[in-house]
Amino acid sequence: MDGHRVLVTGGAGFIGSNLANHLAADNDVVALDDGYLGTPENLDAAVEYVEASVLDDDLPTDVDVVFHLAALSSGPMHEDDPQKGARVNVEGFVNTVEQARSDGCEQVVYASTSSIYGDRTEPSPEAMDVKARTGYEASKLARERYGEYFAHYYDMNMAGLRFFSVYQGYGGAEEHKGEFANLIAQFADDIANGDSPVIYGDGTQTRDFTHVDDIVRGLERAAEERLTGIYNLGTGESHTINTLVDRLTDELDSAIEPEYIENPIPEHAYVHDTMADTSKMTEATGWEPAIDFEEGLRRVCAQYQ
């Protein structure tokens, strides 16, 4: 993208700030955030920061493209306060898109989630049946349905991207999130500081770990190609949590052992395995993941070496 005015909601958060900083090299970027999961310290000087909620009136939506990443982004946040989860993730989405539409913006790229696929040890295509087993998943599915509505009724370009286990190290933009930071960042920091990473269950659960730089490229490509519909962003490969810890201890030259505890998340709500089928996104845009698991972990661990 080049020469556009862009709004990134959740723009001071983990993924949002990475996207905003990247786009600001060639575009006029506004990052909107309420400060709950983000901090303006994540943003480069070239990014305009607006502290506001996606539930507010008079949002800065007079833009060419909206990247809507603002959300309560973990299951426990929704179970603690389901009404707030619905307000932020669903009403906040509709409020932002409607204001953008009224201001003449015809293109929105927004975050959904891979959690709605449930447990999958084989690649998950976008066309498969999905379910809402948690409040978080229900809110993201609601976004997708409202995305369909805006695309059909108002002929807007509405691209929903289902992210798979996005990560970056604490040298990136997530350290302030603590327990809500991605698992790889938390484990790397624990190991580097001589603490045992805590694994839920037996560590055989798998994740399609996707580096944030690949997510940022996918978001940008979705806007450039003016996509409408639902697309996966992942690597198409999965690794167990045990493998993750083994690789991190090797990279950090540590002999520390993990601590295993009973999984505090109810089994009926816990996603044990994920893996993306990214062929639809590749066919539509040419996007492919560029950072493999080994390279991603090297980047995460570099700050400690």
Side-chain angles (χ1 to χ4, degrees):
M1 292 178 60
D2 189 359
H4 292 82
R5 181 164 175 79
V6 175
L7 172 64
V8 182
T9 70
F14 168 39
I15 299 173
S17 63
N18 275 278
L19 176 64
N21 292 338
H22 170 75
L23 292 176
D26 299 303
N27 301 274
D28 181 11
V29 179
V30 179
L32 183 143
D33 204 290
D34 66 1
Y36 176 55
L37 291 174
T39 171
E41 295 177 0
N42 287 337
L43 297 168
D44 294 344
V47 178
E48 178 186 350
Y49 175 65
V50 174
E51 185 171 347
S53 167
V54 291
L55 294 166
D56 290 346
D57 297 326
D58 299 320
L59 297 176
T61 50
D62 185 13
V63 296
D64 302 307
V65 183
V66 172
F67 291 93
H68 188 79
L69 305 181
L72 295 186
S73 57
S74 78
M77 294 178 187
H78 289 260
E79 303 315 312
D80 289 343
D81 192 341
Q83 293 89 346
K84 181 179 180 181
R87 284 195 299 272
V88 174
N89 283 20
V90 184
E91 184 181 347
F93 175 73
V94 174
N95 183 53
T96 302
V97 177
E98 177 58 18
Q99 289 188 48
R101 184 190 69 80
S102 297
D103 283 337
C105 177
E106 298 179 347
Q107 185 168 17
V108 177
V109 181
Y110 64 93
S112 186
T113 179
S114 62
S115 297
I116 55 179
Y117 291 124
D119 293 320
R120 294 275 296 181
T121 54
E122 63 275 2
S124 302
E126 293 87 346
M128 69 173 283
D129 290 338
V130 294
K131 293 182 179 179
R133 302 180 302 172
T134 66
Y136 171 68
E137 293 166 4
S139 72
K140 291 304 183 81
L141 273 176
R143 279 189 179 188
E144 293 186 4
R145 295 298 173 260
Y146 272 104
E148 290 179 4
Y149 155 65
F150 281 107
H152 176 75
Y153 200 86
Y154 292 109
D155 198 28
M156 296 178 69
N157 295 307
M158 302 290 302
L161 304 183
R162 293 173 177 169
F163 300 157
F164 282 74
S165 299
V166 188
Y167 73 95
Q168 187 183 34
Y170 278 164
E174 247 195 324
E175 185 168 5
H176 68 284
K177 288 174 63 177
E179 65 177 307
F180 295 116
N182 74 83
L183 196 64
I184 291 180
Q186 291 189 56
F187 280 6
D189 199 64
D190 287 340
I191 294 167
N193 287 288
D195 298 321
S196 294
V198 177
I199 296 177
Y200 292 170
D202 62 6
T204 60
Q205 60 268 52
T206 63
R207 293 290 180 270
D208 185 336
F209 295 110
T210 310
H211 195 276
V212 70
D213 286 359
D214 282 331
I215 297 294
V216 165
R217 288 192 307 104
L219 286 161
E220 184 177 23
R221 291 296 293 143
E224 289 173 336
E225 297 296 332
R226 303 182 67 82
L227 295 184
T228 289
I230 303 301
Y231 299 83
N232 289 333
L233 289 184
T235 70
E237 297 181 354
S238 293
H239 303 273
T240 69
I241 303 302
N242 287 329
T243 297
L244 168 62
V245 171
D246 287 344
R247 300 290 175 80
L248 287 173
T249 53
D250 287 347
E251 187 68 27
L252 292 167
D253 194 23
S254 171
I256 200 161
E257 295 291 333
E259 176 186 353
Y260 293 87
I261 66 170
E262 183 177 351
N263 192 343
I265 302 172
E267 184 176 351
H268 66 271
Y270 187 72
V271 176
H272 195 276
D273 302 288
T274 68
M275 187 187 298
D277 178 342
T278 60
S279 57
K280 182 180 177 182
M281 184 67 179
T282 299
E283 291 169 4
T285 69
W287 175 92
E288 291 183 342
I291 302 172
D292 65 19
F293 187 58
E294 300 294 342
E295 172 61 20
L297 295 192
R298 283 193 290 271
R299 295 189 184 193
V300 169
C301 296
Q303 72 177 101
Y304 303 108
Q305 296 168 330

